Amino acid sequence: MRYVLAPLLILFTLAFQLPSNNQTVCLSKEEMKLYNLLNQYRKQQSLKRIALSSKLTLVAQAHARDLADYFKDHPTGCNIHSWSDKGNWTPCCYTDDHTEASCMWSKPRELTGYEGKGYEIAYFSSAGANAEEGLTIWKKSTGHHEVMVNAGIWSQVTWNAVGVGIYKEYAVIWFGELPDSATAKTCE
């Protein structure tokens, strides 16, 4: 038993290290599909492609898992942009009035050292999140649509990095203004 646990502990530790500029973060096929659908939609709007960010993808994947595992335990009034107290991060109760928005915006820096703020769109599907449904829902929501296509309050912002995460019932996309030179790819 002692010999089996040591390799598992090493593997667990390596899997959760922060990415360096030459480390690769893996996306599922569905996450890569969401990334490609987002960029296809932006192209239809005559917008440039957003580079895939390893750091923002790590944040997206961590948040999708946190939501799936612990969102039901959040206090009343905390919305889907909240973070539990069950991870290696500062817990955050994001409310609909956006008074605690900075607790969400700072997660990329807190978790990965990404130098800029991150901005998230998220959705829940009781049947299980998927790329096509997520993009369809976000396109129909004015606030989410504006983030994706740099409209409204986001019209003066240029997205230079994006990360995606899908886990169980949750899908999230994180947008950032600063580029990230670390790579992310499909590893399935």
Side-chain angles (χ1 to χ4, degrees):
M1 184 75 152
R2 170 176 40 169
Y3 300 105
V4 173
L5 290 177
L8 288 176
L9 181 59
I10 291 168
L11 181 61
F12 178 80
T13 303
L14 291 174
F16 287 93
Q17 288 180 341
L18 300 179
S20 67
N21 286 345
N22 58 7
Q23 261 184 318
T24 300
V25 170
C26 294
L27 281 81
S28 69
K29 288 180 183 175
E30 197 67 16
E31 289 168 332
M32 187 59 82
K33 182 177 181 180
L34 179 55
Y35 170 70
N36 288 327
L37 286 172
L38 169 67
N39 278 305
Q40 288 171 12
Y41 183 60
R42 287 179 57 83
K43 184 177 180 180
Q44 293 169 359
Q45 308 299 312
S46 300
L47 297 168
K48 75 174 185 90
R49 183 172 190 81
I50 308 171
L52 186 58
S53 163
S54 179
K55 291 177 180 178
L56 293 179
T57 294
L58 267 178
V59 175
Q61 291 173 341
H63 197 216
R65 286 183 178 276
D66 183 54
L67 288 167
D69 294 342
Y70 302 111
F71 185 68
K72 65 187 177 309
D73 300 333
H74 280 29
T76 302
C78 299
N79 70 26
I80 199 170
H81 301 298
S82 301
W83 289 72
S84 77
D85 61 358
K86 306 290 191 237
N88 209 8
W89 52 71
T90 306
C92 169
C93 178
Y94 193 108
T95 54
D96 291 338
D97 63 6
H98 308 288
T99 57
E100 297 297 323
S102 64
C103 74
M104 185 255 292
W105 297 342
S106 65
K107 285 299 179 254
R109 181 182 310 259
E110 181 181 349
L111 296 177
T112 69
Y114 178 77
E115 293 298 321
K117 292 180 180 177
Y119 305 92
E120 177 189 59
I121 60 175
Y123 104 99
F124 167 85
S125 173
S126 60
N130 68 72
E132 288 182 20
E133 181 183 51
L135 192 70
T136 298
I137 287 171
W138 289 323
K139 285 167 40 176
K140 292 178 183 177
S141 163
T142 301
H144 296 98
H145 177 261
E146 288 178 350
V147 173
M148 291 190 304
V149 300
N150 300 98
I153 65 169
W154 305 101
S155 63
Q156 301 303 309
V157 175
T158 300
W159 301 131
N160 288 299
V162 66
V164 296
I166 299 175
Y167 186 71
K168 294 183 178 177
E169 301 92 0
Y170 293 90
V172 298
I173 301 178
W174 281 78
F175 297 85
E177 294 178 76
L178 299 179
D180 176 11
S181 60
T183 58
K185 67 177 186 173
T186 304
C187 296
E188 288 188 306

